[in-house]
Amino acid sequence: MFEPLTQTVSQLATRWGYSVHDVLTHAIQKNWPVYFHFEGLVFDVADRLRYGHDWRAASESSRLAANIEGAEHTLQRNVQHLKGLLTLTEWEDVLSEEDVRNLRIEIEGKKKLLKISTEMNEERNEARQQFHRNGALRAAPRTLQDVADHGLAAFPLKAFYPNSPAWYVPNAEAPGQLLKGRLVALEDVSLHPKTKITADDLFATMEDIKAIESEYALAAISVGTTNTSSTVEHPSVAPRIWDEVACQKLLTEYNAPGATQETLAKIYGVSRQFIARKLTEARGSLVPKKAGAFDGLGRGSRKK
């Protein structure tokens, strides 16, 4: 069987017997990397030359185009007036030959500037496409906290690059900590950009999940060996999948002298209610099944 490379936060909550809120809260406190998938443009937040829409360049191009159009319209009306095809309004002046010549020079100059501005915008847009990404990004603590508290969050505008070092530092402006690392700004340029993100969109890699489970398993063994009130000699590592074998193993440990649901919950790193459910499942699997009509005949005795 192939093991999945990732698991969503919702799947992790089921796997570990916790709520989504608990998983995300621990992820924030323990600095566990939690990712989400993004397809779009990704820029360093300091790269203002490429990040975001260049309103100044677009505004300058629009202004030049409008000026050129207005000047050419003025020339056209003046020519039609001189040919007797129309009469200028009281707000329009008849242009002399020198005025016409100067206006044409001005138009040609602005056309050159417009061409330069257009080429620069095209080069900028081409350069922006080199920052296209289709892959995982690490969610910021604010995103995780919003999903933990409300079940969803606005789709992030900023995140951390997955392989960049990230660490917590004290937050001087407010209680708590801030995550530091390679912060990037996101631009979703699709026709239908996502607006929300939920626990089903957030995921962790199996490599990180196994490392977390190993860490908690070692902590559980430490708790078990120093707890003299419990006689469970070899506390178990929390199984990746709670199948029938795992549940039966749990029931065997529970039947040991001195073992309680509370001590097993500490050892496995899950809630007492989760242990109680798994014990009920284990006891249910021990109930004999009613014999069927053909159970005594065996496979070879059945007619085909």
Side-chain angles (χ1 to χ4, degrees):
M1 294 293 293
F2 292 101
E3 189 176 50
L5 299 177
T6 63
Q7 282 201 342
T8 67
V9 169
S10 298
Q11 291 172 330
L12 279 179
T14 302
R15 177 188 182 109
W16 290 340
Y18 285 104
S19 66
V20 168
H21 180 274
D22 290 338
V23 171
L24 290 175
T25 300
H26 277 76
I28 296 171
Q29 295 174 348
K30 302 294 186 179
N31 197 18
W32 295 343
V34 179
Y35 306 96
F36 64 96
H37 182 268
F38 177 74
E39 182 176 5
L41 302 181
V42 177
F43 305 95
D44 286 324
V45 291
D47 189 1
R48 294 297 180 181
L49 292 176
R50 298 185 179 91
Y51 168 48
H53 185 69
D54 192 346
W55 296 105
R56 288 179 297 179
S59 177
E60 178 65 13
S61 297
S62 299
R63 185 186 66 81
L64 288 171
N67 287 346
I68 293 170
E69 183 181 1
E72 289 180 338
H73 182 68
T74 299
L75 284 177
Q76 184 180 9
R77 286 184 60 81
N78 190 75
V79 170
Q80 291 177 338
H81 173 73
L82 293 176
K83 291 182 178 181
L85 299 177
L86 60 79
T87 301
L88 297 177
T89 65
E90 58 182 307
W91 297 282
E92 295 177 297
D93 297 326
V94 179
L95 300 178
S96 64
E97 291 184 3
E98 185 178 357
D99 292 336
V100 171
R101 185 168 54 252
N102 292 336
L103 188 55
R104 288 191 182 281
I105 293 174
E106 181 182 341
I107 290 174
E108 292 303 318
K110 289 182 177 178
K111 282 184 177 180
K112 291 180 181 179
L113 291 176
L114 179 60
K115 181 180 179 182
I116 294 173
S117 178
T118 302
E119 290 176 350
M120 290 179 62
N121 286 335
E122 290 176 353
E123 289 177 1
R124 178 178 182 272
N125 289 334
E126 290 179 3
R128 278 164 51 83
Q129 297 307 314
Q130 298 177 8
F131 293 84
H132 183 272
R133 178 177 178 80
N134 184 5
L137 291 171
R138 182 173 179 175
R142 178 73 264 175
T143 301
L144 301 183
Q145 192 64 60
D146 287 344
V147 175
D149 292 341
H150 310 294
L152 54 81
F155 198 84
L157 297 177
K158 293 178 181 175
F160 291 92
Y161 232 76
N163 295 326
S164 65
W167 65 96
Y168 279 103
V169 296
N171 184 4
E173 299 179 359
Q177 296 175 320
L178 292 175
L179 187 64
K180 293 292 185 180
R182 184 185 172 190
L183 189 65
V184 291
L186 315 181
E187 281 191 46
D188 191 340
V189 292
S190 63
L191 294 177
H192 304 287
K194 293 188 65 173
T195 58
K196 302 294 181 183
I197 191 170
T198 67
D200 291 329
D201 300 310
L202 298 170
F203 63 88
T205 66
M206 286 304 301
E207 182 180 359
D208 291 333
I209 292 170
K210 290 180 178 179
I212 293 167
E213 290 175 343
S214 297
E215 177 186 349
Y216 273 73
L218 291 174
I221 292 173
S222 175
V223 170
T225 54
T226 56
N227 186 357
T228 56
S229 63
S230 173
T231 59
V232 180
E233 296 180 358
H234 302 288
S236 304
V237 176
R240 290 196 295 269
I241 299 176
W242 283 91
D243 54 11
E244 184 176 344
V245 174
C247 291
Q248 290 299 330
K249 187 171 182 292
L250 178 68
L251 182 60
T252 301
E253 293 175 347
Y254 178 68
N255 291 331
T260 65
Q261 293 183 10
E262 288 77 7
T263 57
L264 288 173
K266 274 186 180 180
I267 291 171
Y268 279 93
V270 295
S271 65
R272 186 194 63 77
Q273 292 82 357
F274 182 81
I275 293 294
R277 287 200 306 271
K278 295 306 173 184
L279 289 174
T280 301
E281 293 176 13
R283 295 189 185 99
S285 64
L286 294 177
V287 176
K289 296 180 181 179
K290 185 177 180 181
F294 299 98
D295 286 353
L297 299 178
R299 286 184 179 272
S301 302
R302 296 187 185 182
K303 292 183 179 180
K304 296 183 180 179

